Amino acid sequence: MSRKPLLLPALLFALTPLSLAAFEVDYAALRAARPAAEGTAVQSLTLERDAYRFRFESGAFFFLPPFGERTVGAVFVGSGSWELTPAGETERKHLALLLHDPGLSTTSDQFETAVFLFTDSTAEEIRKGGKPAGPDPRAAEVFDRFLKRERKDFQTNFHLRVLEDLADAVEPKSGVFLAFPEGRKLSLVLAAVDPAGIERLGIVPNLGCEETALFLPDPDNGGFWYLSHLKAASTAAARWPPLARALSYTVDSEIEKNVRFKGTTTIRFETPAAVRVIPLHLMPKLRLQEASFAPAAGGEPAWQKAAFVQEKAEEDATAAVILPEASRPGAESLLKLTYSGKEVLFDAGDGNFSVGARESWYPNFGVFGEPANFELTYRVPKDFAIVSVGTPAGERIEGNTKISIWKTEKPIRVAGFNYGKFKKLERTDKDSGFEVKVYTNPGTPDIIQEINMALRSASRGGGIDAPVPSDLSSPFAAPPSYVGPSSVSVDTEQLADSALVDGVNSARVYTAYFGSLPSPRVAITQQSQWNFGQSWPSLIYLPYLAFLDRGTRHTLGLDATKDFVDEVGPHEFAHQWWGHLVGWASYRDQWLSEGFAEFSAALVLENTGGLKRASDFWEKTRRRILESPHGGGAPNFEAGPITLGWRLASRRTPEAYAAMVYSKGAYVLQMLRMTMHNPASPNPDAAFILLMRDFASSYAGKNPSTADFQKVVERHMVPSMNATKNGKMDWFFQQWVDGTEIPRYSSKFDLKDEGGGKFRVAGTVTQDSVSKDFCVIMPLYFDFGKGKVARFGLLPLMGNTSRSFDVEIKPPQKPKGVLINALHDVLARD
Ligand SMILES: [Zn+2]
């Protein structure tokens, strides 16, 4: 035996993988499983899981009873520790920031108790070398405490993830590993390695495909403290293929007078692999009542009952359906789900309703992920109207019920609707071919009363916090709070016309810069939440604020919200391109939606308000990027790179998500635009427009990553962008998108009239606060006064450096001075 080659067992294992029988799904049994009384004692045991190292000095494991051939959980009682060594510098820095330890290279904690759920080889590793151990009453207590935390703190059904692997007979080498150590420093954490992607755990949607995480369910200071690809991964895709891909949704919804909501959704889908358990996204307050499954072969579907899982609404309500048999890869199937619940819609008073569920008011496999076709039927009290995504495909009255049907012409990522009493205004813009409709509520909603109350209680003083856009799928972004004085009555109806004009302006600018949409139609509706907007495919919710004219806002003491009001409409409109036409691969790429929408809003402001208005926007944006939170904490730009997405928002950097993903994301695009700017061309933005149109058309209906966008930029490089002479834009994306440095500039110029219209310009430009490879192409401008400038040169600067120049030029008119960075060409510190 001992003479056998050492590699043989591993090789054999690779050639003949374990063929595990699928566990006949019994969710109830799995959920009811408790640790055994007798344990397995261990000494100096180490479990290595990617970036984690668990060490068990002494103590015992108490296993859950086996399911089929598999042991899938254990409680540890004894003396143990864990350590996490981040896989990359960005993740190391993020952890260092959260733990107030700038020099951190490894973080660790000690524990006496821990719970483990797994479908990998953990049980075998523990048993090897383990000895029998007697009972320990703490084991049952520890596991019960975990179950409570799963429901109350994590509010995520981790049992489901285990069930998926058991039902599909996933092999240990691809199994999931979840650890819940009750540490001395961090008593409530999840240390997870999931080779199928952390997104599969169901904590937060749209995570992309990172496999290792440290997650804290603390609403105040929690989130994903660590989220990374496996250390061993050489190259990794930005996004996993979905477990199940929806081809179409047929959604039939009934809204009763008392705002109770009932629905039946039929999903036509396919799965790349055979699966039994399919997780669903559905707001927990909508309770699943029935699930059926059928092959989608022509004729009447042969429905079979399917089981489903959905724990209590306020707890770990992650929904999933368990198919009666494994799906056949590549074959189309049907899933029919019925559900009902309250609080999907809120009666906001006087014919105004707000849609409380921002995304999953119908069961789905993940919104924003994969576009699908929709047929939507709404049954509502006959005096009310529905404005939905898609196009109207019939409306009739039956008794007291209005039945309104809408269909999509092209696949969309997410469906939404607004509901209430509306007055409609519409216009088709001849220039852009865009049809814009505006729907306002004729009544006075409760929110006006609430505003008045807030105004009265806040009139004692204090400034007004201008809301920042908070929209779309930002799982951790809460609507901003409101403070202000006074009282008001609102007639929003007459303000619809200005919303229409703004919509048409946005449609023209975006069609010119990004190309036309496959369905150039948008309905702008008023929503009762008054201080944020939201964009659905062809449907925009605008907040009350956006419909208030300047005089009314002044009465309300809301002058400080002027910028928000100017920007929210164009921002939401831009999501028709960035977010809905073109998606994004993972949370790390969300700036391709939010940053691009902010940039787009600036384009509209520039087109309607001129360079001065644009300049104000970029200056305000720059300040937001550089700002530090009130009461200490790190400046926004130091919280981390744009690619940390919403993970940037932490207790130490609460504004960093908005500041980096929205504001810096927008600035990155502005810098690209200004680098490509050609003042000599009839349209100085021509090259940039080609780039943006190429990106929009190449990735229509797809979910690009930042790297995909970089490749499109590289297709459109102008010579000055080729700073590293290799046709690559790595230098730009590494420093601005993946990096956190922001340069500072000083300059000195000497301008001399040489006669004959010629001028001699000599000067020095200094760049500092950056590392040695930080590269910027700084534009030089003549200043002709009254805001008029003309670019006369580009000065490349690398690292902390001073560069001088001395040139003779014949400008079109007599300059008053020389400037750098006149059009917010480069993001810079003060
Ligand atoms: Zn947005």
Side-chain angles (χ1 to χ4, degrees), residues 244-305:
R245 183 176 282 123
L247 305 168
S248 71
Y249 289 91
T250 306
V251 184
D252 195 318
S253 309
E254 184 178 342
I255 297 165
E256 290 171 1
K257 216 171 184 174
N258 60 5
V259 209
R260 194 175 164 78
F261 190 95
K262 285 201 291 200
T264 301
T265 290
T266 305
I267 311 173
R268 178 184 285 265
F269 70 100
E270 59 185 19
T271 59
V275 291
R276 281 289 303 274
V277 184
I278 302 180
L280 298 169
H281 296 265
L282 181 65
M283 68 180 297
K285 280 180 176 159
L286 280 176
R287 307 303 300 166
L288 282 170
Q289 281 158 349
E290 213 179 302
S292 328
F293 169 80
E300 199 51 33
W303 292 110
Q304 286 173 269
K305 277 252 181 309

Side-chain angles (χ1 to χ4, degrees), residues 469-474 533-535 568 571-572 575 578 590 593-595 597-598 657 662:
S470 152
D471 66 338
L472 217 65
S473 69
S474 322
Q534 190 174 8
S535 187
V568 66
H571 176 103
E572 299 305 337
H575 278 311
W578 315 122
Q590 203 174 350
S593 168
E594 297 300 356
E598 277 292 273
Y657 164 61
Y662 286 69

